[in-house]
Amino acid sequence: MSVHPSSNIKRITTHILQEMKNRGEKISMLTAYDYSMAGIIDAAGIDIILVGDSASNVMAGHETTLPITLDQMIYHAASVVRGVKRALVVVDIPFGSYQGNSSEALRSAIRIMKESGAHSIKVEGGAEIKESVVRILSAGVPVMGHLGLTPQSIYKFGTYTVRAKEEAEANKLIEDAKILEDCGCFALILEKIPAQLAKRVAEALTIPVIGIGAGGYVDGQVLVVHDMLGITQEFRPRFLRQYADLRGMMHDAVGNFIKDVKSQDFPNEKESY
Ligand code: KIV
């Protein structure tokens, strides 16, 4: 267990996450892409911060996660790491920087770890990326898997609907989950699959299984922070619980600022030198 150098805060490690699963304590995980947001959610006590390639959507305004580059992910990850004292930081390896071959995958993972200071990486896929996962793990880089709805394959799926409802896809998902665990992955994300299938996976695996749209029987939950804070507006899937209306609050605050500037109420004497 490592201790943050400038405080007595105990860092969350992959071993602590495993202990949490073993004793039945649920794991909390949110995304972050910048220093300020990472600092807020870390101070609130989140266990894992994911620098997701959803940055491509919520930070850059792209329709999919495909356009974001390795350099851009490293920039986001380094910003997040500077804001975090306690949480484990996981970084998505972006589309196109690990699918080619295992040497490319290893190079990308090492760049993320060296240049951002993050603690682990996440990959999408199962059997087809096994060799890359093994290679990255052999370099001592902790790997989180991601199965079910894997947004980097959106053009293969065609839609963002629930995955693995059919038996064949469900069986393949269970096989892939076992492969990732056997390779040595420290945790697995399951996205948008039936709750009963996610339950089977969480019970079959010894490593923590974290869900997004995968029901309540898994070992933890992850959401995209912009969605749960109500900053994004158009994305309202059934699995999303919105904990705030930050978009509304920000809109009102900006409106009040504009009003005060126009009416010359701001700045007043006390706000001037
Ligand atoms: O990129 C991301 O935010 C993710 C989560 C949806 C799990 O992969």
Side-chain angles (χ1 to χ4, degrees), residues 29-33 50-58 65 73 92 122 124 144-146 149-152 189-191 210-212 222-225 227 235 239:
M29 176 168 172
L30 284 172
T31 63
Y33 318 99
L50 170 65
V51 185
D53 56 3
S54 50
S56 179
N57 309 110
V58 296
T65 59
M73 286 303 297
D92 263 328
K122 174 164 86 60
E124 293 185 7
M144 176 182 270
H146 184 159
L149 176 59
T150 46
Q152 292 180 9
I189 299 250
L190 293 178
E191 180 164 354
I210 296 168
I212 173 164
V222 56
L223 287 175
V224 169
V225 74
D227 299 335
F235 186 68
F239 68 75

Side-chain angles (χ1 to χ4, degrees), residues 246-263:
L246 283 201
R247 192 185 183 93
M249 287 176 71
M250 289 164 84
H251 184 275
D252 291 350
V254 172
N256 287 335
F257 169 72
I258 294 168
K259 184 166 66 58
D260 290 351
V261 170
K262 301 280 182 195
S263 67

Side-chain angles (χ1 to χ4, degrees), residues 143-205:
V143 178
M144 176 182 270
H146 184 159
L147 297 172
L149 176 59
T150 46
Q152 292 180 9
S153 306
I154 189 58
Y155 289 117
K156 184 175 91 180
F157 299 143
T159 70
Y160 285 98
T161 51
V162 180
R163 303 303 314 170
K165 285 195 341 208
E166 307 301 328
E167 202 181 324
E169 194 181 340
N171 288 340
K172 157 104 171 80
L173 187 143
I174 293 169
E175 267 171 39
D176 281 341
K178 288 198 175 127
I179 288 171
L180 292 169
E181 171 164 275
D182 290 346
C183 286
C185 286
F186 72 92
L188 175 66
I189 299 250
L190 293 178
E191 180 164 354
K192 222 168 174 188
I193 63 167
Q196 287 303 323
L197 174 60
K199 179 173 190 267
R200 276 175 70 194
V201 176
E203 285 171 359
L205 298 195

